[in-house]
C-alpha cells in the first residue's frame, strides 16, 4: 500500500498571495494614478482638442504612459496603460477605470486576461503566474471567487469552489501521481465529507478535518478488504470492524452503511462524481454565500519538496498514516512480520473472520474475532452498530431551530457579539475600581426589528445586561484570546451544543462549536459572589500565570420579553484538546455521596472521588509545582470564603503496558521516567521506536508545537533534560506544549482486586488535563445549616459542606494522595 498524500500546507509559501496582491499594488493601481494625475504634470498629445471622444496619448510625470481613446482627458473605450516599471494593461476602460475585457502583464512574466469591473478583476478570467501556475475561472474584487480550475507547476490540479481567494466548498484535487480527492474543503485543506483515492486503488471515504481523517469513515485496501470505524486527526480511534476481502458482508451492515450515506454521515460517491462533472460546464457567482473570517487569503499550494522538513504542528497525512501502519504491524502481527510478509496482504485470505478492533490514538489495544455465522438480525449486532454511531457523536445536543433553547442561544450570540464589538475598539487600559461591581454594567434592549444601535434578529425581543465589560476584556487579552476568534467561536454560523448538567446545581451548560468555550447558567447568588470576588480574582490570575482556577471571560444576563431571566458566565473549556479524554473525574476530597450511580460508564461520564482507583505519578519537579499551585489557589479561595470547589481531572490513556508488543516492552523506558530525546532524534524513525508510549522532546522554542486554547504561563522543565524546557511527542499524533495542568504526561497505576484475593497492578502512560472548578459557592448561612444537619447524621469529616479552612486542608490532603511521590 502506498502512503497517502495530504493537501500541502497552503500557508507555507508567500508567493501566491503576493501574486494576487499584484492586482492591488500601488504601481498597478490604474484608477488612482489616472484620475489623480489628470491635469497635473502631464503631456497630452491627441488628434483634436474637443472634449468629446478622441484618440490620444498621455505621459505622466512619473514615467507612466496611456495611449488610446479618451473622453476629455479620461480613458474611455479601449487603450493601453504602461507603467514605468514595465507593467502594462491593454483593454477596455470606463470613466478612467478598467471595465470590460482586458489583459494585464507584469515584468515577472505573470499575466491576467479576462473581465474587469470598476477597476477590479471581476468575472471570468485566466491568470498565469511566472512559475506557470494557471488559474481559469471566476473572480471577485481581485480574488478568486466562484468556480475555477487551477493547474500547479508540478502537475497537480484543482477544480472546484473558491471563496475570497481560498479553496472553500466542494472540489476535486488531483495530484500529479494520480491520487485524487473529491469532497469538501476549507481554507485549502480537506475538511468535511470527502473521498481520497490513491493510484494503487486504496481509498478512504468519510469525514476530514484540516487535511486529516477525522470522524466516521471507511478505508478500503485494494484486494485486501476494508475497515469501518472512527478516526481522530488521522489516526484510528475507537471501535471499528475489519472485513477481509471475499467475506460476505452481513445484510444489516450493508443497510447500515447505506443509511449513513443517506443521512450525510458518509459521503455519497455518486453525488460527488456528479458534482465534479458539472464543474466544467457551470459557473456560479458565490457572492451571496456566507463566509467566515479568514486569517489569510491564499490558494492550495503544490506539494513540498521531499527533502524539506514539514512543520511539526501541521504533520502531514502521509507521516501520520505511515506511523499508524507501522504501529499496527508492531502489535499482534509479529509472527507475520518474521516471515517477511506484510500483515495486510495476509488479511486478504477469504477464510479470515470479521474482526472487531479498538484503537487508542492509532494504537491497537484489543481485537475480537466475530463469528461470521452470526444472524444478521441478532440483537447483539444491532446494539454494536448503534454504539458505533453513538461513539462518533460529539458531546452534547446541537441547538437547531425548534430546540427548546434555540431562542436563548440566539440571544446569547447576539448579545456577546454586540458586547465584544463595542468594547474591543476602546483603547486598552488598566482597570480601575469603578470598573468592578454591580454598577459597572450596562443594559441594552434588542427588539426584533432592530434599532439605531442594535441589529434586527429572528429571536424574540430581549433585554441584555453586560457586567464589568472592561475587566473581562482585559482577562480575555490576559489569556491571549483574540476578540475575532472569540466571537467566531461562540457567535459564528455553527450552533452551540447543550450539555446535560453533570452536577446537582441544575445549571445548563453550552459548548461552543470548536469546544474552546463553555457557557454556564448561574444562580443570582453565584453572580453576586463572582462580582464580590472579581477584584481579588483579577489580581490573583494576573499574579499567578500558572493558576489552575477557572478562567472567566464574560458575565452576562438576558431577559426574554416572555420568559425567565438567565444569568450566565463564559469560561474556558479545560478539555479542548486534540487528544481524546477517556476518563474524567470530579474530586473534592469528601466521601459522602461521592460515587457515580451510573451503571454504564462512557467517556462523557463524570466520575467522583470514590470511583477513582488510580494513582498518578509525575516528574518530581512537576508534582512539586502542581501541589504548590493548588495550595496557592486553595488559599485564595479560602480567603474569599469559598468551599465546595473541586479538581476536574481529564485522563487520556495510551496503550496499557500489558497490551504492548514484546519488542516495545523490552526496549522500553524505565517505569518511573519518561524518555527524553533531542530535537534531531525526534524524527519519524525515532518515534517508531516508541509507538505506544510518551516521549519528551527538548524544546526548540519554535512555533511548531500544538498549544492548548487560552493557555498562559511558563512551560514545564524536566530533570531528565537537565531541567530544560520540554515538549510532549505522541508518536503519530502531535507535539504538544507541556504546561501546568495542560498536556501533562504521567504514569497511572491502577490497583484492583480479582476474585476477592489476588491483587494485580496495571500501568498506563497517560496525559493529564486538570483545573479547579465550581469556585462560586460561598460558605453562607444555608451551607452552615446544611453542615449542622448532616453532621448529626454522618461523620462531619465526610461531608462536603464544611467551613472553608477545613475544606481547603482536606482538599489538599486528598490531592496529595492522588499524586503520590515517585518511589
Amino acid at each position: 500500500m502506498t502512503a497517502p498524500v495530504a493537501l500541502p500546507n497552503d500557508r507555507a509559501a508567500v508567493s501566491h498571495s503576493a501574486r494576487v496582491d499584484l492586482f492591488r499594488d500601488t504601481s498597478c493601481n490604474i484608477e488612482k494614478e489616472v484620475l489623480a494625475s489628470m491635469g497635473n504634470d502631464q503631456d497630452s498629445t491627441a488628434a483634436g482638442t474637443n472634449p468629446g471622444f478622441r484618440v490620444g496619448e498621455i505621459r505622466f510625470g512619473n514615467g507612466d504612459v496611456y495611449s488610446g481613446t479618451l473622453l476629455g482627458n479620461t480613458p474611455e473605450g479601449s487603450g493601453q496603460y504602461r507603467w514605468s516599471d514595465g507593467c502594462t494593461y491593454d483593454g477596455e476602460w470606463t470613466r478612467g477605470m478598467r471595465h470590460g475585457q482586458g489583459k494585464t502583464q507584469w515584468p515577472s512574466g505573470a499575466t491576467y486576461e479576462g473581465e474587469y469591473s470598476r477597476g477590479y478583476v471581476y468575472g471570468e478570467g485566466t491568470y498565469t503566474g511566472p512559475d506557470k501556475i494557471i488559474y481559469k475561472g471566476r473572480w471577485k474584487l481581485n480574488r478568486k471567487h466562484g468556480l475555477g480550475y487551477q493547474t500547479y507547476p508540478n502537475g497537480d490540479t484543482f477544480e472546484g469552489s473558491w471563496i475570497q481567494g481560498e479553496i472553500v466548498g466542494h472540489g476535486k484535487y488531483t495530484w500529479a501521481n494520480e491520487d485524487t480527492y473529491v469532497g469538501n474543503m476549507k481554507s485549502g485543506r480537506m475538511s468535511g465529507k470527502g473521498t481520497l483515492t490513491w493510484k494503487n486503488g486504496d481509498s478512504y471515504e468519510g469525514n476530514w478535518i484540516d487535511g486529516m481523517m477525522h470522524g466516521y469513515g471507511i478505508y478500503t485496501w485494494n484486494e485486501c478488504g476494508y475497515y469501518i470505524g472512527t478516526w481522530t486527526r488521522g489516526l484510528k480511534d475507537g471501535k471499528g470492524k475489519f472485513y477481509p476481502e471475499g467475506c460476505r458482508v452481513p445484510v444489516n451492515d450493508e443497510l447500515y452503511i447505506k443509511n449513513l450515506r443517506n443521512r450525510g454521515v458518509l459521503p455519497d460517491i455518486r453525488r460527488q462524481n456528479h458534482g465534479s462533472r458539472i464543474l466544467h460546464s457551470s459557473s456560479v457567482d458565490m457572492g451571496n454565500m456566507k463566509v467566515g473570517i479568514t486569517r489569510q487569503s491564499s490558494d492550495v499550494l503544490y506539494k513540498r519538496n521531499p527533502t524539506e522538513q514539514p512543520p511539526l504542528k501541521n504533520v502531514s497525512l502521509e507521516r501520520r498514516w505511515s506511523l499508524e501502519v507501522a504501529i499496527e504491524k508492531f502489535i499482534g502481527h509479529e509472527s507475520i512480520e518474521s516471515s517477511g510478509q506484510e500483515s495486510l496482504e495476509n488479511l486478504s485470505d477469504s477464510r479470515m473472520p470479521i474482526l472487531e478492533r479498538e484503537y487508542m490514538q492509532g494504537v491497537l489495544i484489543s481485537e475480537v474475532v466475530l463469528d461470521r455465522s452470526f444472524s444478521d438480525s441478532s440483537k447483539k449486532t444491532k446494539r454494536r452498530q448503534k454504539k458505533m454511531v453513538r461513539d462518533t457523536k460529539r458531546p452534547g445536543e446541537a441547538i437547531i431551530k425548534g430546540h427548546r433553547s434555540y431562542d436563548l442561544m440566539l440571544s446569547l450570540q447576539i448579545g456577546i457579539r454586540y458586547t465584544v464589538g463595542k468594547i474591543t475598539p476602546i483603547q486598552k487600559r488598566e482597570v480601575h475600581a469603578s470598573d468592578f461591581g454591580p454598577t459597572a454594567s450596562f443594559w441594552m434592549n434588542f427588539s426584533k426589528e432592530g434599532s439605531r444601535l442594535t441589529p434586527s434578529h429572528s429571536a424574540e425581543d430581549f433585554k441584555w445586561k453586560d457586567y464589568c465589560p472592561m475587566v473581562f476584556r482585559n482577562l480575555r487579552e490576559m489569556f491571549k484570546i483574540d476578540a475575532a476568534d472569540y466571537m467566531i467561536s461562540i457567535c459564528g454560523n455553527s450552533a452551540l451544543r447543550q450539555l446535560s448538567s453533570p452536577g446537582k446545581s441544575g445549571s445548563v451548560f453550552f459548548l461552543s462549536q470548536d469546544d474552546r468555550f463553555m457557557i454556564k447558567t448561574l444562580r443570582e447568588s453565584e453572580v453576586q459572589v463572582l462580582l464580590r470576588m472579581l477584584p481579588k480574582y483579577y489580581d490573583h490570575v494576573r499574579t499567578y500565570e500558572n493558576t489552575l482556577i477557572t478562567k472567566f471571560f464574560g458575565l452576562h444576563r438576558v431577559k426574554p420579553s416572555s420568559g425567565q431571566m438567565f444569568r450566565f458566565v463564559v469560561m474556558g473549556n479545560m478539555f479542548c484538546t486534540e487528544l481524546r479524554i477517556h476518563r474524567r473525574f470530579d474530586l473534592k476530597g469528601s466521601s459522602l455521596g461521592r460515587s457515580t450511580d451510573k451503571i454504564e460508564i462512557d467517556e462523557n461520564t463524570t466520575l467522583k472521588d470514590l470511583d477513582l482507583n488510580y494513582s498518578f505519578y509525575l516528574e518530581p519537579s512537576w508534582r512539586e509545582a502542581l501541589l504548590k499551585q493548588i495550595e496557592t489557589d486553595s488559599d485564595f479561595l479560602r480567603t474569599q470564603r469559598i468551599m465546595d470547589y473541586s479538581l476536574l481531572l481529564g485522563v487520556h490513556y495510551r496503550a496499557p503496558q500489558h497490551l504492548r508488543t514484546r519488542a516495545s516492552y523490552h526496549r522500553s523506558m524505565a517505569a518511573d521516567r519518561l524518555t527524553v530525546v533531542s530535537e534531531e532524534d525526534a524524527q519519524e524513525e525515532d518515534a517508531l521506536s516508541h509507538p505506544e508510549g510518551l516521549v519528551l522532546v527538548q524544546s526548540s522554542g519554535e512555533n511548531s508545537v500544538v498549544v492548548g486554547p487560552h493557555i498562559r504561563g511558563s512551560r514545564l522543565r524536566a530533570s531528565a533534560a537537565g531541567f530544560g524546557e520540554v515538549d510532549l511527542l505522541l508518536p503519530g499524533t502531535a507535539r504538544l506544549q507541556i504546561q501546568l495542568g495542560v498536556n501533562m504526561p504521567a504514569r497511572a497505576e491502577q490497583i484492583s482486586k480479582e476474585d476477592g484475593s489476588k491483587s494485580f497492578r496495571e500501568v498506563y502512560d497517560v496525559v493529564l488535563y486538570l483545573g479547579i472548578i465550581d469556585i462560586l459557592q460561598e460558605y453562607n448561612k444555608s451551607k452552615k445549616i446544611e453542615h449542622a444537619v448532616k453532621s448529626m447524621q454522618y461523620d462531619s469529616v465526610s461531608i462536603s459542606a464544611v467551613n472553608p479552612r477545613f475544606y481547603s486542608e482536606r482538599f489538599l490532603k486528598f490531592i496529595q494522595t492522588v499524586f503520590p511521590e515517585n518511589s
Side-chain angles (χ1 to χ4, degrees):
M1 183 187 83
T2 58
V5 184
L7 293 184
N9 184 351
D10 58 314
R11 307 190 192 282
V14 181
S15 58
H16 281 241
S17 58
R19 293 191 201 106
V20 177
D21 289 341
L22 282 172
F23 292 122
R24 294 172 290 172
D25 192 276
T26 53
S27 67
C28 297
N29 195 330
I30 302 170
E31 292 69 41
K32 291 183 180 179
E33 194 74 40
V34 173
L35 296 177
S37 301
M38 291 299 155
N40 296 325
D41 192 22
Q42 60 184 18
D43 178 17
S44 176
T45 58
T49 58
N50 60 68
F53 279 100
R54 60 194 178 94
V55 177
E57 181 178 275
I58 300 176
R59 296 181 179 274
F60 300 95
N62 62 358
D64 295 354
V65 177
Y66 170 80
S67 58
T69 58
L70 297 163
L71 181 60
N73 282 331
T74 304
E76 184 82 20
S78 61
Q80 183 185 77
Y81 194 102
R82 298 189 303 275
W83 285 264
S84 58
D85 62 2
C87 183
T88 64
Y89 168 79
D90 197 344
E92 297 176 337
W93 298 77
T94 297
R95 297 179 182 178
M97 295 182 289
R98 295 171 290 181
H99 192 90
Q101 292 290 329
K103 181 176 182 180
T104 300
Q105 293 180 293
W106 287 269
S108 64
T111 64
Y112 169 79
E113 185 170 5
E115 295 178 319
Y116 291 80
S117 178
R118 301 184 64 83
Y120 293 96
V121 175
Y122 203 127
E124 292 281 349
T126 301
Y127 173 80
T128 303
D131 56 0
K132 304 307 177 185
I133 190 170
I134 300 172
Y135 171 81
K136 184 176 183 179
R138 298 287 297 179
W139 298 77
K140 183 177 180 181
L141 301 177
N142 296 338
R143 293 185 176 184
K144 302 166 190 174
H145 194 90
L147 296 178
Y149 183 89
Q150 180 155 300
T151 303
Y152 296 90
N154 65 343
D156 292 358
T157 63
F158 174 77
E159 181 180 17
S161 170
W162 303 71
I163 296 179
Q164 295 187 357
E166 287 193 333
I167 293 177
V168 177
H170 187 83
K172 179 179 180 181
Y173 194 100
T174 304
W175 285 265
N177 64 0
E178 299 181 25
D179 294 344
T180 302
Y181 172 79
V182 179
N184 291 325
M185 305 183 76
K186 183 179 180 181
S187 301
R189 297 183 177 90
M190 298 176 282
S191 189
K193 291 183 285 291
T195 301
L196 180 61
T197 304
W198 288 269
K199 181 181 178 181
N200 68 343
D202 292 355
S203 67
Y204 169 82
E205 52 177 315
N207 292 277
W208 301 80
I209 186 171
D210 290 335
M212 295 171 286
M213 305 169 189
H214 188 84
Y216 197 82
I218 302 176
Y219 191 98
T220 304
W221 286 273
N222 184 26
E223 300 179 354
C224 291
Y226 59 96
Y227 176 82
I228 304 174
T230 56
W231 277 257
T232 299
R233 292 194 168 270
L235 295 174
K236 294 191 187 85
D237 201 8
K239 286 189 176 181
K241 287 184 187 176
F242 177 81
Y243 295 91
E245 186 195 17
C247 83
R248 177 180 173 275
V249 179
V251 175
N252 268 5
D253 286 9
E254 289 183 342
L255 294 175
Y256 177 67
I257 294 171
K258 183 178 180 181
N259 184 44
L260 291 177
R261 295 191 199 281
N262 294 336
R263 289 166 47 198
V265 178
L266 287 175
D268 190 318
I269 299 176
R270 290 175 297 177
R271 292 177 186 172
Q272 287 185 344
N273 291 338
H274 174 71
S276 63
R277 287 198 299 271
I278 65 173
L279 292 179
H280 287 290
S281 57
S282 65
S283 180
V284 181
D285 187 351
M286 305 176 72
N288 294 325
M289 182 176 289
K290 293 182 179 179
V291 184
I293 299 174
T294 55
R295 296 179 182 277
Q296 180 178 346
S297 180
S298 58
D299 305 339
V300 173
L301 302 185
Y302 49 86
K303 292 181 287 187
R304 298 176 176 275
N305 187 311
T307 61
E308 183 181 352
Q309 180 66 26
L312 285 175
K313 74 173 180 178
N314 291 311
V315 183
S316 70
L317 182 59
E318 181 174 2
R319 173 180 167 90
R320 291 174 180 272
W321 187 263
S322 60
L323 280 168
E324 181 182 3
V325 171
I327 292 170
E328 273 196 357
K329 291 177 184 176
F330 245 8
I331 300 178
H333 299 293
E334 289 181 314
S335 60
I336 297 176
E337 287 187 33
S338 63
S339 65
Q341 299 177 2
E342 287 199 8
S343 58
L344 289 175
E345 292 178 355
N346 283 272
L347 290 175
S348 65
D349 189 343
S350 61
R351 294 172 297 174
M352 286 288 292
I354 298 172
L355 305 175
E356 183 179 75
R357 292 176 167 180
E358 183 171 7
Y359 291 83
M360 281 189 185
Q361 296 288 323
V363 178
L364 180 64
I365 62 171
S366 70
E367 186 175 87
V368 178
V369 177
L370 300 181
D371 184 4
R372 288 173 52 188
S373 63
F374 67 88
S375 168
D376 290 344
S377 60
S378 69
K379 294 181 180 179
K380 185 177 180 181
T381 303
K382 293 178 181 178
R383 284 198 304 268
R384 188 182 297 114
Q385 291 170 346
K386 289 180 181 178
K387 186 175 187 302
M388 189 179 295
V389 171
R390 188 167 65 246
D391 287 346
T392 67
K393 292 182 179 179
R394 300 173 72 184
E397 178 184 7
I399 304 175
I400 59 177
K401 194 166 186 178
H403 192 281
R404 61 187 178 280
S405 300
Y406 181 72
D407 279 350
L408 176 60
M409 180 191 74
L410 290 183
S411 302
L412 300 184
Q413 292 178 325
I414 294 166
I416 290 175
R417 188 184 298 119
Y418 177 85
T419 295
V420 178
K422 182 177 179 180
I423 194 69
T424 301
I426 299 176
Q427 186 175 1
K428 184 180 178 182
R429 61 171 174 79
E430 284 297 318
V431 294
H432 308 309
S434 59
D435 294 319
F436 294 94
T439 58
S441 59
F442 70 86
W443 272 101
M444 180 60 67
N445 287 314
F446 286 83
S447 65
K448 203 167 188 176
E449 297 76 20
S451 66
R452 184 173 59 87
L453 298 175
T454 63
S456 59
H457 56 86
S458 57
E460 64 176 312
D461 296 355
F462 66 93
K463 289 185 177 181
W464 174 264
K465 188 173 185 179
D466 188 34
Y467 295 92
C468 308
M470 182 59 72
V471 176
F472 287 107
R473 176 255 180 96
N474 283 14
L475 284 172
R476 290 193 295 270
E477 293 187 359
M478 194 183 297
F479 290 106
K480 300 179 173 59
I481 295 177
D482 180 74
D485 289 343
Y486 184 71
M487 285 193 288
I488 292 172
S489 177
I490 299 175
C491 312
N493 293 330
S494 299
L496 302 178
R497 302 198 304 281
Q498 183 170 330
L499 307 178
S500 59
S501 176
K504 299 178 182 179
S505 64
S507 297
V508 179
F509 290 84
F510 301 101
L511 198 59
S512 64
Q513 53 89 17
D514 58 1
D515 295 341
R516 289 185 65 190
F517 303 102
M518 187 87 74
I519 301 172
K520 177 186 178 182
T521 60
L522 300 178
R523 300 188 302 271
E524 183 178 6
S525 60
E526 291 176 312
V527 173
Q528 297 305 320
V529 170
L530 179 54
L531 291 175
R532 175 185 61 76
M533 64 183 285
L534 190 58
K536 297 294 184 182
Y537 171 88
Y538 185 89
D539 291 339
H540 182 80
V541 298
R542 183 172 60 175
T543 304
Y544 300 99
E545 61 179 7
N546 293 319
T547 181
L548 298 173
I549 61 177
T550 305
K551 279 78 173 175
F552 293 125
F553 304 130
L555 181 63
H556 315 284
R557 186 169 87 181
V558 61
K559 174 64 172 68
S561 57
S562 60
Q564 70 177 101
M565 182 183 298
F566 289 92
R567 305 168 184 85
F568 59 94
V569 64
V570 183
M571 309 177 292
N573 177 20
M574 283 172 36
F575 296 153
C576 179
T577 170
E578 288 193 348
L579 302 185
R580 189 171 169 182
I581 302 298
H582 297 106
R583 285 290 180 269
R584 54 192 73 200
F585 297 91
D586 183 283
L587 307 174
K588 292 177 182 263
S590 57
S591 58
L592 182 63
R594 297 300 294 164
S595 63
T596 183
D597 54 1
K598 289 187 67 174
I599 298 175
E600 184 178 345
I601 296 174
D602 58 25
E603 294 178 4
N604 294 318
T605 304
T606 301
L607 303 174
K608 300 179 182 179
D609 302 59
L610 299 181
D611 303 314
L612 181 66
N613 57 345
Y614 294 96
S615 293
F616 299 99
Y617 293 90
L618 295 166
E619 157 91 20
S621 60
W622 299 352
R623 176 183 182 271
E624 181 182 354
L626 177 65
L627 295 180
K628 183 178 180 181
Q629 186 60 55
I630 292 176
E631 183 178 6
T632 300
D633 292 337
S634 184
D635 284 344
F636 163 72
L637 296 174
R638 176 182 53 78
T639 62
Q640 300 302 306
R641 295 193 57 76
I642 301 297
M643 41 77 67
D644 216 21
Y645 48 88
S646 54
L647 183 78
L648 185 61
L649 175 65
V651 185
H652 166 80
Y653 294 97
R654 304 303 283 180
Q657 290 184 354
H658 79 277
L659 286 178
R660 297 185 187 178
T661 59
R662 291 188 298 275
S664 173
Y665 189 80
H666 292 301
R667 177 177 49 241
S668 180
M669 324 159 240
D672 62 344
R673 186 179 291 267
L674 288 164
T675 297
V676 179
V677 298
S678 65
E679 179 72 26
E680 294 75 14
D681 294 334
Q683 307 302 324
E684 184 170 330
E685 296 79 6
D686 192 81
L688 287 172
S689 301
H690 311 281
E692 304 97 342
L694 305 174
V695 181
L696 298 183
V697 184
Q698 294 174 348
S699 176
S700 61
E702 299 177 354
N703 295 324
S704 58
V705 181
V706 177
V707 297
H710 38 78
I711 283 184
R712 166 177 167 263
S714 57
R715 296 177 182 231
L716 292 181
R717 301 171 179 268
S719 58
F723 290 99
E725 293 181 349
V726 290
D727 300 322
L728 174 62
L729 178 64
L730 298 181
T733 305
R735 177 171 173 172
L736 308 174
Q737 180 172 305
I738 305 173
Q739 292 185 256
L740 207 62
V742 182
N743 300 325
M744 293 186 70
R747 188 181 83 251
E749 291 189 4
Q750 180 183 28
I751 309 297
S752 59
K753 294 284 185 178
E754 189 179 70
D755 298 331
S757 57
K758 181 183 177 183
S759 64
F760 66 94
R761 186 182 72 171
E762 196 167 75
V763 179
Y764 295 83
D765 284 332
V766 296
V767 183
L768 303 180
Y769 299 83
L770 52 94
I772 299 175
I773 63 169
D774 296 338
I775 62 171
L776 299 179
Q777 180 56 60
E778 198 173 32
Y779 190 59
N780 51 24
K781 185 180 295 184
S782 65
K783 284 294 177 181
K784 292 177 181 178
I785 294 173
E786 180 184 345
H787 172 77
V789 172
K790 287 188 176 181
S791 294
M792 292 186 291
Q793 299 174 311
Y794 310 101
D795 181 1
S796 61
V797 177
S798 67
I799 62 178
S800 293
V802 294
N803 71 73
R805 178 176 294 279
F806 181 75
Y807 192 96
S808 172
E809 293 171 354
R810 183 181 63 185
F811 179 71
L812 289 171
K813 186 176 180 180
F814 178 71
I815 297 303
Q816 288 171 355
T817 65
V818 176
F819 300 97
E821 288 188 75
N822 260 316
S823 56

